[in-house]
């Protein structure tokens, strides 16, 4: 269940209440006339089944509540209520299958912001991966994958493609490209410093590396794994199962490939630079493609599921 807290202009409260009462899957409707001060207006609260929330949010935005008032949505961890159980049963579909598009757009918008924190994480992850590729240490590679924040912008691009949101696409693309460009540039300098300290060497980079040579030797499996990981990551976002993102992060070689390309560039190894860059691009493309296709399939399946529901189930009675 989700909890909605709305601030509505007094002249639109009746319309908002009518929409809430007519939307199947709602419960615990509360109206507090004149309770809001900034912005001024009435406060309307209700709980709603996740699978019915996207429709209600769309209707509230059509009434202009997001512009003239406020719409806040919170997840309810525990609700002991017979009425809430009835509302969830009445709502068509399953909560885990429902895509809350506004929530997804907001989440990807935040994760794809080009901030100092984002740049710090992707740079540190690339530097950790650089140590991993030179030392042929798989543990460091996995750690770097987990630290890397690049899935946020990739998910943002996929979401923007499906929703037709050019601003989100541009924001995500800038974060992705600028993040990797800075991380690789810093890692080149880091590699030269490590070489001067005797900790990195060209011989180590070009020696036998059975645990990490995959980062500069792309093959068909590189793309296949990226596609599977992109689909899994997108599902984890839309179903609010964020724990799966850790598994997604450590199954693709975006950050390690960028790190290997940077170290190879520092030593003038053009073969490994090209191979690592190809690996990076294959992974990025595969994740975006899979993410967009997954969202399209979810959108289609959910639309068909709602269309098959009886009219009285799709819209409740007051």
């Amino acid at each position: 269940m989700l909890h909605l807290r709305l601030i509505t202009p007094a002249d639109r409260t009746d319309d908002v209440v009518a929409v809430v009462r007519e939307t199947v899957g709602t419960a615990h409707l509360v109206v507090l006339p004149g309770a809001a001060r900034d912005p001024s207006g009435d406060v309307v609260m209700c709980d709603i089944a996740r699978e019915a929330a996207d429709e209600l949010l769309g209707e509230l935005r059509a009434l202009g509540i997001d512009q003239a008032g406020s719409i806040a949505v919170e997840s309810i961890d525990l609700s002991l209520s017979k009425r809430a159980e009835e509302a969830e049963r009445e709502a068509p579909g399953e909560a885990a299958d429902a895509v809350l598009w506004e929530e997804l757009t907001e989440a990807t918008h935040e994760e794809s912001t080009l901030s100092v924190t984002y740049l710090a994480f992707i740079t540190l992850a690339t530097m950790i991966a650089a140590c991993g590729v030179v030392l042929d240490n798989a543990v460091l590679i996995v750690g770097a994958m987990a630290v890397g924040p690049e899935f946020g912008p990739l998910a943002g691009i996929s979401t923007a493609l499906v929703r037709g949101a050019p601003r989100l696409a541009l924001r995500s693309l800038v974060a992705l490209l600028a993040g990797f460009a800075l991380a690789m540039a810093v890692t080149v300098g880091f590699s030269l410093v490590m070489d001067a300290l005797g900790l990195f060497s060209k011989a180590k980079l070009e020696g036998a590396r059975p645990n990490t040579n995959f980062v500069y030797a792309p093959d068909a499996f590189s793309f296949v794994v990226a596609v599977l990981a992109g689909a899994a990551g997108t599902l984890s976002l839309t179903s609010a199962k964020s724990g799966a993102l850790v598994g997604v992060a450590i199954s693709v070689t975006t950050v390690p490939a960028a790190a290997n390309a940077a170290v190879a560039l520092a030593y003038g190894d053009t073969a490994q630079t090209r191979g690592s860059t190809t690996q990076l691009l294959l992974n990025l493309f595969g994740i975006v493609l899979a993410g967009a296709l997954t969202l399209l399939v979810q959108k289609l399946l959910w639309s068909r599921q709602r269309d098959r529901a009886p009219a009285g189930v799709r819209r409740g009675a007051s």
Side-chain angles (χ1 to χ4, degrees), residues 55-134:
E55 178 183 358
L56 177 57
L57 290 176
E59 301 233 17
L60 292 172
R61 295 195 68 178
L63 290 173
I65 303 305
D66 58 322
Q67 300 295 323
S70 169
I71 302 175
V73 183
E74 299 174 300
S75 295
I76 299 176
D77 295 328
L78 177 63
S79 179
L80 303 178
S81 166
K82 182 178 179 180
R83 180 66 192 96
E85 294 176 358
E86 292 173 350
E88 289 187 313
R89 286 197 299 267
E90 291 167 359
E94 296 294 332
D97 296 333
V99 179
L100 197 57
W101 291 100
E102 295 296 338
E103 178 185 55
L104 178 62
T105 301
E106 181 65 22
T108 52
H109 182 276
E110 292 180 1
E111 292 295 326
S112 60
T113 299
L114 187 60
S115 63
V116 173
T117 301
Y118 170 82
L119 292 174
F121 269 116
I122 196 167
T123 301
L124 291 170
T126 307
M127 293 166 69
I128 293 171
C131 296
V133 296
V134 172

Side-chain angles (χ1 to χ4, degrees), residues 249-289:
I250 62 177
S251 61
V252 292
T253 55
T254 48
V255 166
N260 198 86
V263 177
L265 183 62
Y267 284 117
D269 189 329
T270 56
Q272 285 202 37
T273 301
R274 286 196 302 269
S276 301
T277 302
T278 301
Q279 178 77 277
L280 174 62
L281 294 176
L282 275 176
N283 277 269
L284 296 178
F285 177 70
I287 292 172
V288 170
L289 176 63

Side-chain angles (χ1 to χ4, degrees), residues 39-61:
S40 61
D42 303 332
V43 174
V44 178
M45 296 181 287
C46 70
D47 297 338
I48 184 169
R50 181 182 176 85
E51 53 269 40
D54 194 62
E55 178 183 358
L56 177 57
L57 290 176
E59 301 233 17
L60 292 172
R61 295 195 68 178

Side-chain angles (χ1 to χ4, degrees), residues 146-161:
V147 172
E150 73 279 6
F151 189 79
L154 292 170
I157 295 173
S158 298
T159 302
L161 291 175

